[in-house]
Amino acid sequence: MKKNTTEIPPAFEESAGKYLNNPQLRRNIGHATRTIRGKRQVVADELDDWQQLREAGRQIKQKVMANLDHYLLQLEKSVEEAGGKVHWAADGEDANRIITGLIKEKGVNEAIKVKSITTDEIRLNKALNDAGITALETDLAELIIQLAGDEPSHILVPAIHKNRTEIMELFRDKLGNKDLTDDPEQLAEAARLFLRKKFLSAKVGISGGNFAVAETGTIVVVESEGNGRMCTTLPDTLISVLGIEKIIPTWRDFEVFMQLLPRSSTAERMNPYNTFWTGVSEGDGPQEFHLVLLDNGRTKVLADPEGRQTLHCIRCSACLNVCPVYERTGGHAYHSVYPGPIGAILTPQLRGLYDKSAASLPYASSLCGACYEVCPVKINIPEVLVHLRGKVVDHKKKNGGIRDKLHPEHIAMKLMARTFRSRSRYERAQKMARIGQKIFVRDGMISKLPGHLSGWTSVRDLKPIPKQSFRDWWRARS
Amino acid sequence: MKISLFITCFNDTWFPGTGKATVEVLERLGHTISFPLEQTCCGQMHYNTGYQVEAIPLVRRFVELFEDAETVVVPSASCVGMIHEYYPKVAKQADDQQLLRRVESLIPRVHEFSLFLTNVLEVEDVGAGYPHKVTYHPTCHSLRILHVGDAPLRLLRNVAELELLELPGAMECCGFGGTFAIKNAETSAAMLEDKVNRITETGADTCVAADNSCLMHIGGALNRKNTGIRTMHLAEVLASQK
Ligand code: SF4
C-alpha cells in the first residue's frame, strides 16, 4: 500500500470497494469509531455551554483567518524575542530542505519525532531518509505505521485499521521480542523499552504543534503518551513544523480550545500531557528552537471565501469518527494524510481539484451532516463539499474533453435541467419515463438496470413509476 | 388557512400517494389547498451534484411561482432543506440581490409537512389510525438541516392503534445521498445494509420517514431481501384511518 508520490492515486469510488470488502478492516474501524463516538457524546453533553464554546471556537478562528497576515508577523516577532528562530516555507519541498539543513548543521544523522500530520503531509520522513537521516516516530501508533511501512489511516489514531494481533506480530518481527503476547500493556512496554534508549541519545527532536500563540510565541502539543513531552524537552535542538493556520491570537483563547479539543478528539476532559514552550530557556530543555511555518496550499484555501472555513480545523478527528462513509471504507481510500470528512474538503483544496482522486473526494459523502454536527469549530463540511462539487463540475465544463461531455451523468444533468425549466417538457418527460421503463419492469419491479444505473439495482429493487402522477390526479379531481 | 402545495418532482412522478395523503390530512384539518401546475423541481439534485449554474433558473421559477403564497407546504424534508439552506446561496451565486431578497422573504413561509403540523398548526393528533407495527427512520436532512427533532414521532404517537418500535442507530444515515447512491454505489450499499438490518431487527412491518427519496432506497433493499416490510411516507400514515 506504499504510496508513490509521482503517481496519481485512484478515485475514491475505485478504491473504496477494496476496503469495503475487507471484513477485518471494517470490523477494526467500525468497532473503534463507534466506541470513541459514544464517549465523545458523553463528555460534550457534560458541558452546558458546549454550543457556545463551539461558536466561540468558530469566531476566534474566523478572526485569525481574516487577519492572518498580522498574526503571522506577530508570531514571528514573539518567537524570535523568546530566543527561537522562524523559517517560512512556501511548500513541502521548502520545509523539507530547511529541516534537513538544520539537522545536517548539527552533524547528526538521527532525529526523534512527535506524531505530526503536518510532517506526514510534506513527507518529511522520506526527505530525511533520502538525505541519510533516520527519523524515528515515537508515538506508539505512528511507530506501528513506520515499522509496518504502512500509511496512516486516521488523523489521531493512525493505526486504527490494525488490531492487537496484527501489532503483536509486527513487534515480534521488528523489535525482536519473540515472546510478546497481544496484551496491550506488554505491547506498550515493548515499544517503551525500544524508544527509551533513543530518547536519551537523540540530539534533535522534530514536532508538529496543535496551536501557536501569536501574542507570546508559545507552541503547544497535547498528547496521551508522554513521548511528545520527551521529544520536545530532551534533545538539544527542537524543530517544530506548523501550518500557518494553527495560530490563535492570545493565551486567553486556550480557555476555549483546551475544552473543545480533548473532548472532541480523545473524549477526555483534558489530555494527559499538555506541553507548552516559548522559545528557549537557559539550562532547561532544548537550547535551540526552530519554528517552520508552512503554507503548502493554505493561502490558496484562504483566498476562497466559501472554502476558507476549512482552515479552522483543529484536527480533532471527531468528524472521522462519526462519518458513516469513513466508518465503512477506512482512511486509505481517501489517498491522503487527511482522510474522512475533513480530508474530503481539505485535500482537494490543498492539492487542487484536478487529479481524479482529489476531484472524487467532495463526492465521497452522502451529505448526512453528522460531521458538521460534531465539529468543535463548526466547520460546515457539507456546505464546503457542495461548494467544491460545483468547482469540479465547472472545471469539467470549461476544460473537460469529449469524454466528460459525453459522460452519462453530465448528459442527464443537462437534459433534466432543461426539462425542469418548462412545465410542458416536464410533463412530457414524465410520460416518456413511464413508457420507457416498461422494458425493465418484471413482476411489478425493476431489478436490473444497465450501465451507469446498475449500481442502484445491484442491491436494491426500483419501484416503477406509477400510471397516474400526482398532477394527473389533481387535474382529474378538480 | 390557504395552503399552496409544493409536491416536488420526485413525489409527483414516483409517489403520488404521498401527495394525495398530504392533501387529505390538510383538508381534514379544514384548510384549503391549491396546487400550482407550473411547478417542477426545487433544484436540489443539480445543486448538490455540482451543477449549480443549472439550479439558478429552477430557484427563480420556484420563487416566481410561490412568492405570493400565504403558506407553502412540502412533503419532503430534503427539498425544504435545499430551499432553506441553499436558496440564498444560489441567489448570491447568481449575483442577484433582488432574487436574494425575494428568497429571504419567502423562506419563512415554506414548511416541511410534519413541522407545519406541529409548529404552525400546533396539532399532534390528526385523527389517524394505522393498526401496524411501525418504526421511524429520521432522515439526515430532516434532522440536521431542518431540526425536526421529535415532531414526526409526536405525530406518530397520536395515531390510533399504531405500535411505535424504536429503531436502533436511528440517527445514522441510510446511505442514499442522492447521486451518491449511484456514484459511490458500494459504499452506499454498505450503509444501506446496516440500516436495513436494524429495521428488520425491530420487528416492524412498516418503516416510516419524512423523505420518499431515502424510503425508495431503503424500500428497494427491503424488497430485494424479501423482508415483507413496507416503506411509507409519514403523510400516508397520517392520512390512514381505522
Ligand atoms: S473538521 Fe472539525 S471535526 Fe473534523 S477534524 Fe477538523 S475540527 Fe475536528
Side-chain angles (χ1 to χ4, degrees):
Chain A
M1 214 176 301
K2 264 278 181 210
K3 203 187 305 181
N4 184 339
T5 39
T6 52
E7 210 173 83
I8 294 170
F12 182 86
E13 61 274 17
E14 288 168 24
S15 29
K18 182 162 134 213
Y19 305 107
L20 283 166
N21 298 324
N22 177 342
Q24 180 69 52
L25 178 84
R26 257 179 88 181
R27 259 198 305 278
N28 292 357
I29 296 192
H31 175 72
T33 54
R34 272 193 302 275
T35 312
I36 185 94
R37 201 186 295 172
K39 289 189 185 160
R40 188 211 69 90
Q41 192 69 48
V42 172
V43 290
D45 289 350
E46 253 174 28
L47 296 181
D48 295 335
D49 60 351
W50 183 250
Q51 293 310 330
Q52 285 97 310
L53 277 170
R54 288 177 73 218
E55 179 57 24
R58 189 190 72 77
Q59 287 189 18
I60 294 169
K61 281 293 188 176
Q62 193 176 40
K63 185 169 83 179
V64 169
M65 296 318 149
N67 303 288
L68 195 58
D69 51 344
H70 161 77
Y71 289 123
L72 281 169
L73 293 176
Q74 192 189 7
L75 176 70
E76 178 180 41
K77 194 158 164 269
S78 329
V79 169
E80 303 216 323
E81 274 170 9
K85 171 105 187 62
V86 173
H87 309 259
W88 299 92
D91 54 26
E93 223 175 286
D94 238 11
N96 291 339
R97 193 172 42 241
I98 295 167
I99 300 163
T100 312
L102 289 171
I103 300 174
K104 287 217 156 144
E105 249 171 52
K106 298 283 140 208
V108 295
N109 56 11
E110 215 176 52
I112 49 173
K113 277 188 74 201
V114 193
K115 174 178 155 7
S116 145
I117 337 169
T118 312
T119 61
D120 289 341
E121 175 190 325
I122 59 176
R123 308 212 150 260
L124 175 62
N125 289 5
K126 186 176 178 300
L128 292 177
N129 209 4
D130 292 348
I133 300 165
T134 314
L136 182 76
E137 294 292 350
T138 62
D139 172 86
L140 181 56
E142 281 283 358
L143 177 68
I144 293 167
I145 297 295
Q146 192 175 39
L147 291 175
D150 203 347
E151 297 279 339
S153 68
H154 188 281
I155 301 180
L156 201 75
V157 203
I160 196 169
H161 57 292
K162 294 214 179 301
N163 66 13
R164 268 194 270 153
T165 321
E166 293 169 277
I167 296 166
M168 173 190 74
E169 276 156 16
L170 178 71
F171 279 11
R172 279 184 179 173
D173 181 30
K174 302 278 176 170
L175 303 184
N177 186 342
K178 301 289 173 230
D179 305 321
L180 267 184
T181 69
D182 68 350
D183 173 33
E185 268 184 38
Q186 268 198 36
L187 294 175
E189 184 60 19
R192 197 174 289 132
L193 290 173
F194 171 72
L195 290 171
R196 191 60 50 111
K197 288 195 279 279
K198 305 282 179 183
F199 282 129
L200 293 171
S201 61
K203 297 275 178 274
V204 178
I206 301 172
S207 87
N210 297 90
F211 304 99
V213 185
E215 175 191 57
T216 58
T218 310
I219 312 296
V220 188
V221 163
V222 303
E223 41 133 9
S224 304
E225 297 173 8
N227 59 300
R229 170 76 52 89
M230 291 206 257
C231 280
T232 53
T233 51
L234 291 174
D236 301 329
T237 301
L238 173 59
I239 305 169
S240 302
V241 192
L242 274 81
I244 52 173
E245 81 286 12
K246 293 281 179 75
I247 288 189
I248 59 173
T250 67
W251 186 270
R252 184 68 205 262
D253 298 319
F254 277 127
E255 178 203 349
V256 173
F257 293 104
M258 291 312 242
Q259 296 191 74
L260 289 174
L261 181 56
R263 285 173 201 262
S264 303
S265 59
T266 44
E268 289 167 303
R269 296 179 185 91
M270 189 182 170
N271 288 94
Y273 294 89
N274 301 274
T275 307
F276 302 73
W277 68 96
T278 309
V280 292
S281 330
E282 223 187 288
D284 182 17
Q287 293 303 296
E288 216 182 294
F289 171 57
H290 298 272
L291 174 62
V292 181
L293 289 169
L294 175 75
D295 182 344
N296 208 28
R298 286 162 176 76
T299 44
K300 246 179 12 208
V301 186
L302 188 68
D304 176 359
E306 305 280 333
R308 188 176 296 161
Q309 53 178 315
T310 311
L311 296 176
H312 297 184
C313 174
I314 56 173
R315 311 276 189 268
C316 72
S317 72
C319 58
L320 277 66
N321 299 331
V322 292
C323 178
V325 173
Y326 177 86
E327 180 190 336
R328 287 166 182 89
T329 63
H332 290 148
Y334 294 82
H335 295 286
S336 162
V337 294
Y338 302 106
I342 179 61
I345 59 173
L346 182 59
T347 307
Q349 295 188 80
L350 288 179
R351 203 158 79 196
L353 279 161
Y354 314 122
D355 71 71
K356 69 175 179 177
S357 168
S360 72
L361 290 176
Y363 292 94
S365 164
S366 62
L367 303 178
C368 81
C371 46
Y372 178 29
E373 196 173 50
V374 296
C375 177
V377 286
K378 288 173 83 169
I379 301 174
N380 190 336
I381 296 177
E383 177 185 283
V384 181
L385 285 167
V386 172
H387 167 66
L388 295 174
R389 290 177 183 189
K391 289 191 147 191
V392 172
V393 170
D394 285 350
H395 178 74
K396 278 191 190 152
K397 280 184 194 160
K398 280 195 205 90
N399 309 302
I402 191 79
R403 277 180 76 198
D404 289 315
K405 303 252 152 57
L406 290 178
H407 193 276
E409 179 188 282
H410 184 73
I411 295 175
M413 286 292 162
K414 284 295 205 190
L415 271 176
M416 279 196 270
R418 200 178 123 77
T419 304
F420 289 141
R421 284 201 296 271
S422 128
R423 170 182 165 186
S424 56
R425 280 199 293 266
Y426 167 71
E427 291 182 354
R428 221 173 312 134
Q430 284 184 317
K431 287 200 188 80
M432 274 159 53
R434 213 173 289 136
I435 297 164
Q437 70 179 354
K438 279 193 182 141
I439 54 167
F440 301 112
V441 182
R442 301 266 178 287
D443 301 324
M445 267 297 162
I446 298 172
S447 301
K448 210 169 161 59
L449 282 169
H452 209 53
L453 298 173
S454 60
W456 180 277
T457 45
S458 65
V459 293
R460 1 166 161 61
D461 295 329
L462 182 64
K463 183 178 112 69
I465 296 170
K467 286 204 181 62
Q468 191 187 40
S469 68
F470 175 78
R471 60 180 58 229
D472 291 340
W473 173 80
W474 180 268
R475 266 186 295 236
R477 175 187 198 243
S478 37
Chain B
M1 200 180 285
K2 281 185 62 153
I3 298 168
S4 297
L5 180 63
F6 177 61
I7 186 71
T8 79
C9 61
F10 189 70
N11 285 332
D12 182 18
T13 312
W14 240 296
F15 293 90
T18 298
K20 292 182 220 172
T22 307
V23 172
E24 208 173 312
V25 173
L26 295 173
E27 285 183 346
R28 197 197 294 157
L29 295 169
H31 303 282
T32 315
I33 317 294
S34 66
F35 179 75
L37 280 158
E38 281 296 315
Q39 61 180 276
T40 59
C41 169
C42 71
Q44 179 181 199
M45 182 181 64
H46 283 94
Y47 190 79
N48 281 352
T49 311
Y51 287 79
Q52 288 158 6
V53 180
E54 284 75 4
I56 298 170
L58 303 180
V59 171
R60 281 220 170 86
R61 194 179 168 83
F62 182 90
V63 171
E64 275 158 23
L65 215 54
F66 288 101
E67 67 186 336
D68 296 325
E70 185 184 332
T71 263
V72 185
V73 171
V74 191
S76 158
S78 72
C79 299
V80 179
M82 166 72 195
I83 295 163
H84 282 210
E85 182 104 340
Y86 289 119
Y87 269 27
K89 295 202 174 87
V90 175
K92 280 181 205 150
Q93 211 166 338
D95 205 12
D96 186 337
Q97 283 305 313
Q98 205 204 352
L99 181 64
L100 180 62
R101 274 195 300 277
R102 290 161 74 194
V103 162
E104 280 169 349
S105 111
L106 174 56
I107 284 174
R109 283 175 282 138
V110 180
H111 304 280
E112 185 276 326
F113 176 69
S114 65
L115 279 179
F116 179 70
L117 293 175
T118 57
N119 294 9
V120 181
L121 298 182
E122 299 183 356
V123 286
E124 292 185 1
D125 186 349
V126 297
Y130 185 70
H132 288 275
K133 292 184 173 158
V134 167
T135 194
Y136 173 74
H137 167 60
T139 60
C140 299
H141 290 183
S142 75
L143 266 186
R144 301 197 183 91
I145 298 184
L146 297 182
H147 306 287
V148 293
D150 65 347
L153 288 172
R154 280 184 279 141
L155 290 161
L156 286 172
R157 282 195 199 104
N158 280 295
V159 175
E161 290 176 51
L162 183 149
E163 188 185 340
L164 191 59
L165 300 165
E166 198 184 317
L167 179 64
M171 313 284 214
E172 270 173 48
C173 177
C174 69
F176 171 63
T179 43
F180 174 77
I182 309 271
K183 268 184 191 289
N184 281 283
E186 287 175 281
T187 310
S188 168
M191 291 159 73
L192 176 59
E193 187 187 343
D194 292 342
K195 181 58 74 182
V196 162
N197 288 341
R198 299 257 166 87
I199 293 171
T200 316
E201 271 166 41
T202 63
D205 60 48
T206 312
C207 173
V208 173
D211 276 285
N212 272 329
S213 46
C214 305
L215 283 179
M216 182 166 91
H217 157 87
I218 295 171
L222 288 170
N223 198 68
R224 176 66 58 89
K225 292 190 158 189
N226 290 316
T227 59
I229 304 171
R230 84 188 73 128
T231 48
M232 206 184 234
H233 191 280
L234 179 67
E236 294 177 49
V237 176
L238 298 183
S240 305
Q241 287 186 308
K242 277 177 277 177

